[in-house]
Amino acid sequence: MMMIGFILLIVILYCWGSSANSGGSSCIDHQFGSNTSLEILNERYARGEIQREDYLERKQELYIQKQPISIKKG
């Protein structure tokens, strides 16, 4: 049990140190990626994986999904 606590402490210190050195982004962001769907779409378009029409259509869809849903009573 003490060994697990020690290993956990090492991991926490490593993440804390790496976030201080990388301008504030956390260790978890680096490990799991922090790209939003729009960033991923932009990267795919920039690499030439998708055509312009497909890019614009998907981008519009992402903006529509982010719009707040209003519920009208009456």
Side-chain angles (χ1 to χ4, degrees), residues 4-74:
I4 294 172
F6 179 72
I7 292 172
L8 185 61
L9 178 63
I10 296 296
V11 170
I12 291 171
L13 289 175
Y14 172 77
C15 288
W16 179 68
S18 68
S19 69
N21 293 333
S22 65
S25 60
S26 71
C27 181
I28 295 172
D29 287 344
H30 293 295
Q31 183 177 4
F32 297 108
S34 62
N35 288 349
T36 65
S37 53
L38 184 58
E39 289 171 339
I40 294 169
L41 181 63
N42 289 337
E43 290 172 6
R44 290 187 64 201
Y45 180 63
R47 287 192 298 257
E49 293 178 11
I50 57 176
Q51 298 296 318
R52 183 176 189 273
E53 294 80 22
D54 194 25
Y55 168 76
L56 293 174
E57 183 180 316
R58 291 179 185 199
K59 186 175 178 181
Q60 181 65 29
E61 183 66 30
L62 289 174
Y63 282 121
I64 290 171
Q65 289 176 359
K66 290 185 178 182
Q67 295 292 327
I69 299 172
S70 62
I71 299 174
K72 295 182 179 180
K73 293 183 180 178

